[in-house]
Amino acid sequence: MTVRIGITGGIGSGKSVVSRLLEVMGIPVYISDMETKQLMVADNRIRGELIALLGEEVYAGGILNKTLLASYLFGSPEHARQVNSIVHPRVKEDFRQWVRQHAGCSMAGIESAILIEAGFAGEVDAVVMVYAPEEVRVQRAMKRDASSRELIERRIRSQMSDEEKRMRADFVIVNDGETPLIPQVLALITFLSQNNTYLCPPKK
């Protein structure tokens, strides 16, 4: 049976770095942000329900109108709930199907900034929070996104707090730029596998 690892953390925490390390170690990772964007274009059910909610212009020219969607999504908590109720169930089903496709792997991961908020914690066997001090996160995100401090801090405020994430996580990986990451990831894998049998079996 595949052990499912949920990787989460706030903006700039470095969860993508942890995901890449897991992949290098042979553990496939479902990148929910990327897969969600693809589903919102390719999944007919999502398209139909978003059009019913927002009108044909949300897919003007067959392309997702991200500006319109974002404007509606961030307009109110109720709007966000409506959009999420359309998208999240399809992403969950897609992840379940993806896990079945990786049944030959003893472990598989899912990376999501909103893993807990979106109700995906129930889809995994262990929740791993990637933690970095807020100032480190702000500097990383400003450099990565070429954004202002004000915008990044606003995004941080809109996410679940680190304290709450820590309380709900099974494991915490510190990515502060000083604490070595690889030993922490190896310790996590060793703990979960117990016998270090965490690599996918070689293809025959």
Side-chain angles (χ1 to χ4, degrees), residues 50-174:
L50 285 178
I51 288 171
L53 179 66
L54 298 171
E56 295 284 347
E57 59 270 25
V58 75
Y59 283 100
I63 300 170
L64 179 65
N65 187 333
K66 296 177 183 177
T67 303
L68 173 63
L69 180 64
S71 176
Y72 183 83
L73 184 66
F74 296 114
S76 74
E78 176 59 21
H79 288 178
R81 188 198 64 77
Q82 289 173 329
V83 174
N84 290 340
S85 69
I86 292 170
V87 177
H88 290 168
R90 301 299 295 150
V91 177
K92 279 185 184 180
E93 182 50 44
D94 190 65
F95 172 64
R96 290 169 185 167
Q97 184 176 341
W98 180 88
V99 170
R100 289 192 289 270
Q101 292 169 350
H102 291 81
C105 300
S106 59
M107 291 188 186
I110 175 172
E111 176 196 314
S112 174
I114 56 169
L115 184 93
I116 297 168
E117 300 95 310
F120 276 72
E123 299 294 317
V124 299
D125 302 299
V127 174
V128 178
M129 176 199 175
V130 183
Y131 168 80
E134 184 170 314
E135 182 58 26
V136 173
R137 292 168 57 198
V138 169
Q139 292 298 330
R140 283 176 183 162
M142 286 172 61
K143 183 177 180 181
R144 183 192 67 196
D145 300 340
S147 294
S148 67
R149 171 179 287 272
E150 181 184 7
L151 182 59
I152 298 301
E153 289 180 344
R154 194 183 313 151
R155 289 175 66 184
I156 288 175
R157 298 285 89 79
S158 72
Q159 295 180 335
M160 180 182 287
S161 70
D162 282 349
E163 291 73 21
E164 189 167 357
K165 273 196 172 75
R166 274 179 179 270
M167 287 174 60
R168 301 199 189 191
D170 300 297
F171 301 92
V172 176
I173 288 179
V174 177

